[in-house]
Amino acid sequence: MGTYVLRRLLTLPLMLLGVSIAVFLVLHLIPGDSARMAAGPDATEADVQQIRVNYGLDRPLAVQYGIYLTKLLQGDLGDSFQTLAPVTEDIARTFPATLELTVAGMLIALILGVPLGVYSALHPRGSADRLVTSIAVLGISMPGFFLGLILMLVFASVLGWLPPTGRGSCAHLVLPSLTLGLPYVATFARLTRSNMLDVLSEDFVRTARAKGLSWSQVIYRHAMRNASIPIVTILGLDFGRLLGGAVIVETVFAWPGMGRYMVDAIMVRDIYVVQGTILVFALSVVLINLTVDVIYGIIDPRIIYS
Amino acid sequence: MDPAISRSTPSQTVFGHIFNTLVKWKDSKLSEIIPDLAESWTKSDNGLKWTFKLRQSVKFHDGTPFDAEAVKFNLDRISDATLGSPNRSLFAGVDEVVVIDTNTVEIRTKEPSPTLLEILTEAYASMNSPTAVKKSGRAYSRNPVGTGPYVISEWIPGQHLIVKRNPDHFGSPGRAATMSFRPVPEPAARVIELTTGNTDIALNIPPESAGAVAQSADLLVEPSSFQIFFELNTTKPPFADPRVRLAVNHAIDRNAIIEKILDGYGRVPEGIFPAGVQGRARQRPYTYAPDKARQMIAEVFPGGYDGTVVMWTPAGRYMKDKAIAEAVQGYLNAVGLKTEFKVWEWATYQKTLYRPDEGKGTGKGSNDANMWLLGTGVTNADWRLRRKFFSTDGSNLTGYSNARVDELLKRAAVDMNYETRMKAYADVQAIIWNEAPNSLVLFDQVQLIGKAKGLKDPEVYASEILRLDQVAKR
């Protein structure tokens, strides 16, 4: 296991290099002019040209990339064209906010979704089962910003229980993380339900029952453990999607996270900001997938990495 | 948050509270310039030398004394090419800044510069602490230090910026002990913040929420210097002939657009300068007269114009931009013009419009279209006119060239007499409006601001910058 993790970690720099080249090329191939966007529509051509020279945007692409890579190796992600602030600093500030939101959203999805799934597997076609199906339809069909505004309207405006936007206290975290997590409740519930149903029909469950274990012991010690492998897989995959979903939720709730930071930068072609944030997103997705692989090995001793 | 560089209006609202400039406009009418950090000033007879007497014993928030050296440092800094200020050109006329003594500074210009004082009122000309600039280096935009009535006490970018009253400020102290500025990008969320009492002032209320805001808070409807228009390519048919440009201005029903698309929150333009722009000369609004428009087009193209008019618009940049462009398309079709419509993403649009395309029509990427939707909110008369109408200006996208306009602008640029200079700008506005427009003018924006009941009004500038230091709860 140790060597496997090490090997995976060693391929990381190569992957990041690939991502950085791809992002760099895409950003330079899509139309738009970073200098013009930094200077604004009311700037003169001379000022725009000066900014282009200052940022080195007038130099050949390969040279620009070389300079970027040299800085990157020293841990410097460059400066924002818009605010002149170092991207590394901005990411260090915004990424924890996004992570906080994503983890909270993920926890909500798990804490509500898995028990709901187990319950509906034990009572197929019962009321819980129908509830899960309805939530699933709603969750899939309702766009994140809409759900966010509805929650804000109900809990902040009508009931006045929670602050509408911003970050700071735990209360601020409730609405955005619900908006992010709720659509995934149904995903996890349905996944848990179908896996549980499969596992419950296996022979070892009958054996476990036959040797005198109580239902709850059978479910938690035997069935859950076997049903959880696909859940962990989806957890890993959805984590990346949740990070992406944070972009919209952050805008609606004025959450100072990296998603909003990245999208704002894309709009104005703030190249280094987009580069830096995508690199960090890519890195986190890779690390999460690695973690998922490690968790497999822990849950299921049959899985051996060599 | 470096005033020499940042051009975002919300940032400039904050700058107004933590910085001072040498001189400032007396009020939002932009008719008189009064002392700020400079107590008085004189200009030499040839108009090439301006001498400023500075206010004494003023200190920056970090304790650095404000003096002539600081003025020189700031003005040299914005002119420095390596800083890359988007507004460096504004200061291009400054030849040299000379320190006479601690409290006297002289600004020498290359040409007589009637606009110098006006430029010094801009947020870009804010006085930063030289010590702080040198100390923070490239991180200065994260640690700005000024002389203003408020001091930054906590700033988490994207979350909030909190300022507290500066007890050592030379002018009238701020009324509120602290103020918090928060970016809330989602309009509906801003409305909820206001109606739940979480915030006292919410900017940019969307027209459709105006009713809801008015129920539980005060709705301020303030003029804006922002005008939205279709620029017309004056270098090729059908808009090469000024008569067709005038004709299309009579082809659209502005009242209907404002009522139906903007819920009534917009104004029918009375000239190319909306309220709040320096030297505004009001003109008679264009009437909605489709028959007259059709006739005027027929004068130029007797059989009707048989080409296709290519229309470009950004989506989501200006209030309801695409919907308005579509309405305009309908009006143009109604007077017999065939149209082709293209919607752009803003960054691509900007790049395309300004892309150099020498030797062809407008000399820019704009040459590929006949009309394109844009807006401007510049309040400085010289700057606003020169960029769009001077024949050889790099920002003139329409290929507009009018000998009389060029002559008037050239004369005004060195005219040290304020009245005759404003007269020249008024003449330019009249020529453009009545004889030779460069655009199909659409509407003047209004600012919709929500304010908690019982709060004293903030001072709202047409440039959409707010002064809040005298706002207090009644």
Side-chain angles (χ1 to χ4, degrees):
Chain A
M1 173 80 95
T3 33
Y4 170 77
V5 173
L6 197 69
R7 221 172 47 223
R8 284 277 299 267
L9 285 177
L10 284 177
T11 59
L12 249 184
L14 212 64
M15 189 232 45
L16 288 180
L17 186 76
V19 170
S20 80
I21 293 177
V23 174
F24 191 83
L25 282 179
V26 166
L27 281 174
H28 281 86
L29 290 178
I30 53 169
D33 178 350
S34 312
R36 167 59 62 189
M37 296 316 289
D42 292 322
T44 64
E45 278 308 293
D47 288 338
V48 176
Q49 182 55 29
Q50 184 60 50
I51 289 173
R52 212 168 277 139
V53 172
N54 286 358
Y55 293 161
L57 291 167
D58 55 336
R59 309 173 75 171
L61 220 53
V63 176
Q64 287 188 45
Y65 183 72
I67 294 171
Y68 180 74
L69 197 63
T70 319
K71 280 193 183 166
L72 186 65
L73 291 176
Q74 297 159 8
D76 182 353
L77 292 167
D79 296 345
S80 158
F81 291 168
Q82 294 279 324
T83 64
L84 303 191
V87 175
T88 319
E89 238 174 63
D90 285 343
I91 288 181
R93 187 188 62 247
T94 55
F95 185 64
T98 296
L99 200 62
E100 177 184 321
L101 190 58
T102 314
V103 169
M106 186 54 83
L107 285 178
I108 285 174
L110 272 180
I111 290 169
L112 295 178
V114 173
L116 214 53
V118 173
Y119 186 83
S120 60
L122 297 178
H123 308 86
R125 281 180 276 281
S127 51
D129 204 12
R130 280 196 214 105
L131 181 72
V132 169
T133 314
S134 337
I135 295 177
V137 173
L138 262 178
I140 290 161
S141 53
M142 197 188 285
F145 74 92
F146 187 67
L147 177 63
L149 285 177
I150 296 285
L151 288 176
M152 197 192 295
L153 200 66
V154 174
F155 291 101
S157 188
V158 177
L159 297 171
W161 292 350
L162 294 161
T165 68
R167 181 176 183 234
S169 64
C170 283
H172 284 100
L173 183 61
V174 177
L175 290 181
S177 54
L178 272 177
T179 308
L180 198 58
L182 279 182
Y184 290 89
V185 169
T187 316
F188 283 113
R190 296 202 56 85
L191 195 74
T192 310
R193 175 183 180 273
S194 62
N195 281 300
M196 277 304 271
L197 284 177
D198 283 351
V199 174
L200 287 177
S201 61
E202 297 264 354
D203 292 343
F204 70 82
V205 171
R206 202 180 44 219
T207 312
R209 243 339 233 162
K211 74 179 180 186
L213 286 181
S214 72
W215 248 124
S216 59
Q217 273 175 312
V218 172
I219 287 166
Y220 289 106
R221 200 181 298 161
H222 295 276
M224 247 335 266
R225 190 156 174 162
N226 279 287
S228 55
I229 297 243
I231 297 173
V232 172
T233 310
I234 295 298
L235 193 79
L237 291 176
D238 276 354
F239 203 86
R241 279 169 55 199
L242 271 170
L243 276 176
V247 169
I248 291 160
V249 175
E250 283 171 5
T251 304
V252 172
F253 289 97
W255 189 264
M258 199 169 77
R260 200 173 121 206
Y261 177 58
M262 179 177 79
V263 167
D264 289 350
I266 293 173
M267 297 296 179
V268 295
R269 305 291 190 270
D270 201 341
I271 298 179
Y272 295 140
V273 175
V274 182
Q275 291 259 56
T277 47
I278 290 186
L279 277 181
V280 173
F281 273 132
L283 183 65
S284 21
V285 170
V286 171
L287 289 180
I288 284 155
N289 279 315
L290 182 57
T291 316
V292 166
D293 286 350
V294 172
I295 292 175
Y296 284 161
I298 295 169
I299 302 178
D300 190 344
R302 286 171 303 180
I303 299 175
I304 293 162
Y305 299 105
S306 57
Chain B
M1 290 293 290
D2 180 343
I5 289 159
S6 179
R7 54 180 181 81
S8 89
T9 315
S11 299
Q12 291 183 343
T13 288
V14 177
F15 295 156
H17 298 90
I18 54 180
F19 288 100
N20 291 100
T21 43
L22 286 181
V23 293
K24 62 181 181 187
W25 290 108
K26 186 178 171 212
D27 50 36
S28 49
K29 288 202 280 287
L30 308 194
S31 50
E32 192 190 338
I33 288 176
I34 59 169
D36 196 8
L37 281 169
E39 273 181 331
S40 62
W41 54 91
T42 53
K43 57 170 189 270
S44 66
D45 291 339
N46 62 7
L48 293 173
K49 252 191 233 172
W50 293 76
T51 313
F52 292 87
K53 279 273 173 215
L54 305 178
R55 198 180 284 274
Q56 296 192 21
S57 61
V58 173
K59 279 192 171 23
F60 288 102
H61 300 153
D62 62 353
T64 309
F66 166 77
D67 55 16
E69 287 291 349
V71 175
K72 178 173 169 56
F73 176 85
N74 276 285
L75 295 181
D76 286 353
R77 177 170 182 257
I78 195 162
S79 300
D80 180 0
T82 57
L83 179 72
S85 168
N87 296 289
R88 185 170 155 256
S89 295
L90 281 182
F91 299 83
V94 175
D95 188 30
E96 201 185 353
V97 183
V98 183
V99 175
I100 304 291
D101 61 43
T102 321
N103 295 306
T104 317
V105 67
E106 192 177 278
I107 301 179
R108 298 181 185 159
T109 60
K110 294 167 189 154
E111 301 274 336
S113 177
T115 54
L116 182 72
L117 280 185
E118 293 157 17
I119 290 163
L120 291 176
T121 66
E122 295 280 343
Y124 313 111
S126 296
M127 290 293 141
N128 305 273
S129 158
T131 321
V133 173
K134 285 177 203 151
K135 197 180 89 186
S136 303
R138 73 172 195 181
Y140 178 69
S141 66
R142 281 276 177 266
N143 308 284
V145 178
T147 53
Y150 283 89
V151 184
I152 293 182
S153 68
E154 186 188 50
W155 177 27
I156 306 174
Q159 188 167 333
H160 60 218
L161 185 145
I162 299 170
V163 295
K164 62 173 196 288
R165 196 192 287 135
N166 171 11
D168 304 321
H169 184 58
F170 59 84
S172 34
R175 296 285 292 273
T178 62
M179 293 194 280
S180 170
F181 298 89
R182 287 185 48 212
V184 180
E186 168 60 40
R190 284 198 297 278
V191 172
I192 292 177
E193 285 282 352
L194 179 73
T195 53
T196 53
N198 272 301
T199 186
D200 291 315
I201 294 177
L203 304 181
N204 294 323
I205 301 291
E208 59 271 19
S209 303
V213 167
Q215 276 180 9
S216 56
D218 291 340
L219 181 74
L220 305 180
V221 183
E222 299 278 343
S224 163
S225 59
F226 232 94
Q227 187 173 69
I228 306 293
F229 40 77
F230 265 106
E231 291 197 334
L232 305 173
N233 186 339
T234 66
T235 65
K236 62 181 184 186
F239 300 123
D241 193 306
R243 284 173 293 177
V244 185
R245 305 204 291 269
L246 279 173
V248 289
N249 269 299
H250 287 286
I252 64 167
D253 185 350
R254 293 175 178 81
N255 280 315
I257 290 178
I258 291 169
E259 284 308 317
K260 299 272 159 55
I261 304 178
L262 299 171
D263 292 323
Y265 294 107
R267 291 188 184 160
V268 174
E270 299 173 88
I272 56 170
F273 281 13
V277 178
Q278 181 195 23
R280 179 188 196 206
R282 285 165 71 176
Q283 313 291 326
R284 214 147 41 123
Y286 292 121
T287 51
Y288 171 48
D291 291 335
K292 182 176 165 190
R294 215 174 286 118
Q295 237 170 47
M296 289 165 83
I297 294 171
E299 273 174 42
V300 184
F301 303 103
Y305 178 63
D306 55 6
T308 303
V309 174
V310 178
M311 306 174 71
W312 288 356
T313 179
R317 169 70 187 187
Y318 305 111
M319 201 188 275
K320 310 271 189 260
D321 43 17
K322 188 169 148 265
I324 286 166
E326 282 164 354
V328 171
Q329 183 183 29
Y331 286 119
L332 293 185
N333 293 342
V335 296
L337 290 172
K338 287 190 284 291
T339 50
E340 188 186 303
F341 196 80
K342 183 166 179 182
V343 182
W344 292 81
E345 181 265 342
W346 178 246
T348 317
Y349 187 57
Q350 285 277 291
K351 160 114 182 176
T352 308
L353 284 177
Y354 286 97
R355 182 191 67 223
D357 201 354
E358 262 122 60
K360 276 170 54 188
T362 62
K364 300 218 157 22
S366 59
N367 199 45
D368 292 341
N370 295 104
M371 53 199 291
W372 50 91
L373 190 128
L374 281 177
T376 186
V378 175
T379 52
N380 184 288
D382 167 67
W383 188 8
R384 187 163 179 136
L385 289 173
R386 203 154 29 85
R387 276 181 328 115
K388 298 266 181 209
F389 299 97
F390 196 78
S391 57
T392 56
D393 193 281
S395 304
N396 175 350
L397 289 176
T398 57
Y400 190 82
S401 174
N402 181 304
R404 278 163 63 215
V405 169
D406 276 2
E407 180 54 37
L408 283 163
L409 288 179
K410 234 190 276 177
R411 189 148 33 98
V414 291
D415 185 354
M416 297 303 289
N417 179 306
Y418 193 78
E419 276 72 40
T420 54
R421 184 158 69 95
M422 290 302 131
K423 174 74 175 57
Y425 295 146
D427 290 346
V428 169
Q429 292 170 59
I431 293 170
I432 290 166
W433 191 260
N434 301 314
E435 298 167 32
N438 80 333
S439 53
L440 164 51
V441 175
L442 296 172
F443 68 97
D444 294 350
Q445 284 190 3
V446 293
Q447 306 181 59
L448 291 181
I449 298 171
K451 180 180 72 88
K453 275 201 161 63
L455 198 71
K456 194 168 165 280
D457 280 1
E459 195 175 346
V460 181
Y461 286 80
S463 57
E464 310 200 351
I465 291 173
L466 266 67
R467 280 305 295 249
L468 303 163
D469 48 345
Q470 296 311 316
V471 172
K473 294 196 177 163
R474 271 193 285 240

